[in-house]
Amino acid sequence: MKLIKFFSCVISVVLFASFASAKITVIVPNGGEGDGLRAAAKDYTALTGTEIEFVQAPYEQVFDKAANAANTKSGAYDIVLMDDPWIPFFAENGHLAEMGPFFDALGVDGPDNDFLGKSMAICRNPYNSGPYVCIPYVGNAQMFFYNTAAFAEAGLDGPPSDWDSVHAAMQKISASGSFGYVLRAQEGNPVVAQYMPIFWSFCGKLFDENRNATVNSPEGMKALEFFLKLRDVSPPGAASMNQEETGQYILQGMAKSTINWPNWVTNFEDPSQSNVVGEMTYAAIPSGDCAGSSEIGHWALGIASASKNQQAAFDFIHWASSK
């Protein structure tokens, strides 16, 4: 086993040296996910000499740009940092290179074994059974963010445990001139991601044991009614807001709570862009009639099948996702 690992390292070094002159283009979203990868790329360039160019764009534009490049086979991007709902589109349309041959060349059967099983399952096409078409780079679980002092002044001191007491505090905050909550309700994935933790915390289930849809069950209706209560303590226009807008309301101190992804923590604690440094608490999702539960979410690195630098792209992904 030690000998295999030794030769694996030797092969990696040889591959790095062989492709040091290649230039890799990576498309990433604005925000923490892309910033983290860019920071890693600087170390990689210093180590190997491989030049890495980043194209950074707002969330929706990343998908549009990458999909257009894939459909036209332009080869504009070698690596795409994908949100997990995008993976089926890119994988099932043949827009991602299978990674098996690259792992075979290293003498290993797949990615490092320290990834969570569910994280790896989404990176195979078909799901959890086919070849690897991407590697997880950022793993997420939603959290409930709230301004500690604002909620304490509204009568909720300590970690929020249930939606009823949280909502009562939100109403007091909203009556005092701020917004108790900021809802992420833009059509499509954003509103689904925001709604599901509420749905689950009121014991909602998407399907019954016979795979019949049960979204409109009594539990589902109760969840929807509470979701609309959150709208009523949110800023106007919440129905069109995505995480960028909701994050800004928290950053500026205009709204005092939301459900969002942990990558926002660094923004909230950054004095150069935040008015709430040290004021936020990051907690589990409150309970309704059932225990609170969050969505998991991933950003994954995939190699564009139209890339002319697939080996160099794989070398960077393998290094960036390694222990």
Side-chain angles (χ1 to χ4, degrees):
M1 182 58 71
K2 289 182 178 178
L3 191 61
I4 291 172
K5 288 183 178 178
F6 170 75
F7 280 113
S8 207
C9 290
V10 170
I11 292 170
S12 295
V13 171
V14 171
L15 290 174
F16 287 154
S18 300
F19 288 88
S21 61
K23 178 182 177 181
I24 306 169
T25 302
V26 187
I27 184 166
V28 299
N30 294 334
E33 296 88 357
D35 293 342
L37 192 60
R38 288 194 301 177
K42 291 180 181 178
D43 292 340
Y44 185 78
T45 298
L47 177 68
T48 67
T50 301
E51 183 181 353
I52 304 177
E53 178 183 359
F54 281 84
V55 175
Q56 198 157 8
Y59 177 91
E60 296 84 358
Q61 292 182 24
V62 173
F63 176 82
D64 291 341
K65 288 176 179 289
N68 182 64
N71 286 325
T72 60
K73 304 186 187 304
S74 69
Y77 312 114
D78 300 298
I79 296 173
V80 181
L81 183 58
M82 301 172 288
D83 196 3
D84 53 15
W86 306 347
I87 295 174
F89 167 80
F90 286 104
E92 293 171 13
N93 287 291
H95 298 324
L96 298 174
E98 292 185 7
M99 292 185 166
F102 300 107
F103 287 120
D104 291 342
L106 291 177
V108 297
D109 59 3
D112 287 341
N113 61 8
D114 60 340
F115 288 103
L116 295 173
K118 288 185 178 181
S119 299
M120 295 313 305
I122 65 167
C123 283
R124 305 180 76 163
N125 184 50
Y127 176 85
N128 200 32
S129 61
Y132 289 106
V133 293
C134 56
I135 301 294
Y137 187 68
V138 177
N140 274 328
Q142 293 165 315
M143 304 179 76
F144 180 66
F145 300 163
Y146 69 101
N147 188 297
T148 315
F151 272 76
E153 290 174 8
L156 187 63
D157 199 1
S161 59
D162 64 275
W163 279 121
D164 286 341
S165 60
V166 171
H167 183 252
M170 289 174 181
Q171 288 179 305
K172 291 180 181 178
I173 291 169
S174 296
S176 69
S178 297
F179 296 104
Y181 191 80
V182 54
L183 197 68
R184 178 189 177 205
Q186 186 182 86
E187 184 179 359
N189 178 57
V191 70
V192 173
Q194 182 82 176
Y195 182 65
M196 292 310 297
I198 310 298
F199 182 70
W200 288 323
S201 68
F202 283 93
C203 310
K205 294 183 178 180
L206 291 174
F207 304 100
D208 64 18
E209 61 276 6
N210 297 316
R211 306 299 290 173
N212 297 311
T214 55
V215 178
N216 62 343
S217 65
E219 294 82 3
M221 293 304 296
K222 190 172 183 179
L224 180 59
E225 289 169 359
F226 184 78
F227 194 74
L228 296 177
K229 289 182 180 180
L230 291 178
R231 177 202 60 187
D232 294 340
V233 291
S234 293
S240 63
M241 289 185 189
N242 202 346
Q243 61 174 329
E244 290 293 331
E245 292 84 0
T246 60
Q248 287 300 319
Y249 267 94
I250 300 293
L251 279 169
Q252 301 306 317
M254 296 184 292
K256 302 303 182 182
S257 66
T258 193
I259 292 174
N260 214 325
W261 300 101
N263 62 288
W264 278 94
V265 172
T266 53
N267 301 75
F268 296 150
E269 304 303 337
D270 179 0
S272 69
Q273 58 180 312
S274 173
N275 293 335
V276 293
V277 174
E279 297 180 13
M280 301 301 295
T281 296
Y282 311 103
I285 306 298
S287 63
D289 296 324
C290 287
S293 182
S294 67
E295 273 195 353
I296 60 171
H298 295 78
W299 286 88
L301 293 165
I303 303 169
S305 57
S307 166
K308 298 177 177 62
N309 303 300
Q310 290 189 10
Q311 181 66 64
F314 172 80
D315 291 340
F316 174 59
I317 290 174
H318 186 57
W319 174 86
S321 61
S322 67
K323 295 178 185 179

